[in-house]
Amino acid sequence: MKRLYLIISLTMLAAIVLSSVTASQVLHRLFDKNMRQRMREMQSNLAGLIVERLEEAPESEMDEELSRFQKAVFPQVEIVPADSPAVPQNAGDVSPQAAAEPARRRHAHFTPFRQGKYYLVMKPPTRPGPSRIWPFLLELFVIFPIVGVTGYLLISPIARRLRILENATVKIGGGDLSARADIDDPGAVGDLARRFNEMADRIQTLLENQKHLLLAVSHELRTPISRIRFNLEMLSESREESERVRRAQEMEEELVELNDIVEELLLYLKFDSPNTPMEKGPIEIAAVLGELIDKVNEKKPEIVFRLHTGDSGDLALIANEKYFKRALQNLLDNAIRYAEASVIVACAELGGGVSVTVSDDGPGIPPQEYERIFEPFGRLDDSRSRRSGGVGLGLAIVRRILQRHGGTVSVSAGDAGGAKFTTVWPQPQP
């Protein structure tokens, strides 16, 4: 704070002094020319009056007459002979134009009289007074305390807020991710503190999510790896060919599951980056949903799919087609996995967007689990087999895709008793 205070105070002082000197020089240059011209006119008029009196007086009384003017009117005036060294050469010309022209080199006014025999010399008034250094030092003596107090009053609240921000930064750098800069200020420092807190919230959320995700991934990978290790041990002890083939097939299935987990995890993490390509274009919703339903229905042909488009048979939206299909396919896979007899898919136009819902007639989801199922590897029953519960990232990927599109996904109880997933896809305004 002291260094900041000193820098700003000295800067303010230098600015004041520089502006004062500059303004003084500018004013001097603007008015000095006019002042000199007026001074020459006054000297010429006064010299004319004095010369007129001297011409009338006898030559022997000129000095006495001049002394009266020196005492009463203008002391810087004297009489010199025309041949005096004090008279410049151009003053020897007795023409009115040349004689009336002041000798600028000497800053004096020469006026001839008595047929050019004498010159009346009028010197500029002297400027007695103290040296300019003392007024300047006096100005500094008065200005510096004012600048110092003003600088302190300006800097003190800013420095206090910056110190709070600095302390929060140090705490976060030391590992305390919950530290925040509590600055309630509408000014620039307050805006900086709010941006800092938003950044800290984002960092804390990302690190906590990565920590939870790392724990979840390690848990998910441990099970198939243990199964592969078990089958390898059993394979080495198996003597019958059929048993060896069965063990090899199980290990291959576990490897496929590991590959699926890795691919789903990479896709999930891909949406953490704001640089993920999201090229958008028009999508015919009914056509895409029909294609996805036919593809998913091949897995369980006994499940009946119903597509309801209402009056929106030609409804379209602007989105990334690849990720739109991926999100809806994940929801359809989830519905057909738990559905008992039917799955209903519906789309409708909303104010400023489009909604697509997928509902089934399965066992449903308890309301207290609505949020948990969208977390990575957030299954309703951790003991459930992965072959019935999937990899555990499908719904988390759906939420990430909707978030990147500025939309939402939610779950509620369906009309048939199962789960109903509702996605909302906002549309850009024309």
Side-chain angles (χ1 to χ4, degrees), residues 18-85:
L18 181 62
S19 61
S20 177
V21 173
T22 304
S24 176
Q25 291 297 323
V26 171
L27 293 176
H28 178 74
R29 291 183 178 276
L30 289 176
F31 295 106
D32 188 56
K33 183 178 181 180
N34 294 332
M35 292 297 295
R36 287 198 303 268
Q37 181 65 29
R38 292 182 181 181
M39 180 62 69
R40 287 195 299 269
E41 293 176 359
M42 291 176 60
Q43 287 178 330
S44 179
N45 295 333
L46 184 59
L49 293 174
I50 298 175
V51 167
E52 184 177 350
R53 294 293 299 272
L54 293 176
E55 290 279 9
E56 295 175 355
E59 186 174 350
S60 60
E61 298 179 3
M62 286 192 307
D63 292 336
E64 183 179 354
E65 189 72 24
L66 181 65
S67 64
R68 294 193 185 99
F69 281 100
Q70 290 175 336
K71 295 177 180 179
V73 182
F74 200 81
Q76 288 84 18
V77 63
E78 61 182 1
I79 299 173
V80 296
D83 56 356
S84 173

Side-chain angles (χ1 to χ4, degrees), residues 353-395:
V354 176
S355 69
V356 180
T357 61
V358 177
S359 56
D360 59 71
D361 60 350
I365 301 173
Q368 64 271 19
E369 300 290 343
Y370 283 171
E371 184 64 25
R372 180 170 175 264
I373 61 174
F374 291 105
E375 297 177 359
F377 307 108
R379 298 186 182 86
L380 294 180
D381 184 1
D382 289 337
S383 64
R384 181 180 299 179
S385 169
R386 288 173 177 76
R387 290 169 177 78
S388 65
V391 173
L393 286 169
L395 295 179

Side-chain angles (χ1 to χ4, degrees), residues 25-326:
Q25 291 297 323
V26 171
L27 293 176
H28 178 74
R29 291 183 178 276
L30 289 176
F31 295 106
D32 188 56
K33 183 178 181 180
N34 294 332
M35 292 297 295
R36 287 198 303 268
Q37 181 65 29
R38 292 182 181 181
M39 180 62 69
R40 287 195 299 269
E41 293 176 359
M42 291 176 60
Q43 287 178 330
S44 179
N45 295 333
L46 184 59
L49 293 174
I50 298 175
V51 167
E52 184 177 350
R53 294 293 299 272
L54 293 176
E55 290 279 9
E56 295 175 355
E59 186 174 350
S60 60
E61 298 179 3
M62 286 192 307
D63 292 336
E64 183 179 354
E65 189 72 24
L66 181 65
S67 64
R68 294 193 185 99
F69 281 100
Q70 290 175 336
K71 295 177 180 179
V73 182
F74 200 81
Q76 288 84 18
V77 63
E78 61 182 1
I79 299 173
V80 296
D83 56 356
S84 173
V87 179
Q89 294 181 358
N90 62 344
D93 188 354
V94 295
S95 64
Q97 295 82 3
E101 180 68 22
R104 298 185 181 181
R105 178 172 55 86
R106 298 177 180 270
H107 302 286
H109 189 277
F110 293 83
T111 305
F113 67 98
R114 293 189 181 275
Q115 303 297 323
K117 185 178 179 179
Y118 297 97
Y119 276 88
L120 180 69
V121 182
M122 186 172 290
K123 299 179 181 180
T126 59
R127 300 188 212 178
S131 174
R132 291 185 57 85
I133 189 63
W134 294 111
F136 178 73
L137 293 177
L138 180 61
E139 290 178 1
L140 289 182
F141 182 77
V142 175
I143 291 175
F144 190 78
I146 298 176
V147 171
V149 173
T150 303
Y152 178 80
L153 294 177
L154 290 175
I155 297 169
S156 180
I158 297 176
R160 184 170 58 253
R161 299 185 185 102
L162 290 177
R163 190 179 294 112
I164 295 174
L165 186 61
E166 180 186 9
N167 292 336
T169 305
V170 172
K171 289 181 180 179
I172 291 180
D176 183 8
L177 299 180
S178 62
R180 296 294 181 270
D182 296 328
I183 300 177
D184 186 11
D185 177 46
V189 179
D191 293 338
L192 177 62
R194 283 186 285 274
R195 296 291 184 269
F196 174 84
N197 291 338
E198 293 174 0
M199 178 194 68
D201 291 339
R202 177 64 174 167
I203 292 175
Q204 184 179 15
T205 301
L206 288 175
L207 292 178
E208 289 179 352
N209 288 344
Q210 289 184 0
K211 180 180 179 180
H212 296 159
L213 185 62
L214 180 62
L215 294 175
V217 169
S218 62
H219 174 75
E220 292 295 322
L221 295 179
R222 186 181 294 113
T223 301
I225 291 175
S226 299
R227 291 175 180 170
I228 292 176
R229 182 181 293 110
F230 173 76
N231 284 320
L232 281 173
E233 293 176 357
M234 297 302 297
L235 183 64
S236 61
E237 297 177 1
S238 299
R239 298 183 179 181
E240 297 183 1
E241 183 64 23
S242 59
E243 180 68 14
R244 295 171 65 88
V245 171
R246 186 176 67 85
R247 295 295 180 184
Q249 291 177 347
E250 289 182 359
M251 285 190 295
E252 184 176 355
E253 292 175 358
E254 297 298 335
L255 290 174
V256 171
E257 181 180 347
L258 281 174
N259 184 69
D260 293 341
I261 292 176
V262 172
E263 288 184 356
E264 293 287 280
L265 182 61
L266 291 176
L267 179 60
Y268 177 79
L269 295 176
K270 186 177 183 180
F271 289 103
D272 271 340
S273 172
N275 299 324
T276 302
M278 291 294 290
E279 297 180 0
K280 299 180 181 180
I283 300 175
E284 296 182 2
I285 299 178
V288 172
L289 290 177
E291 175 186 342
L292 293 175
I293 289 173
D294 292 340
K295 180 179 179 180
V296 173
N297 203 14
E298 294 178 356
K299 302 176 182 179
K300 294 176 71 173
E302 67 274 14
I303 301 297
V304 177
F305 278 85
R306 296 185 178 90
L307 177 60
H308 298 310
T309 59
D311 297 332
S312 306
D314 58 347
L315 186 63
L317 61 84
I318 304 298
N320 183 282
E321 184 173 358
K322 174 183 177 182
Y323 296 126
F324 175 80
K325 289 181 177 180
R326 181 58 183 268

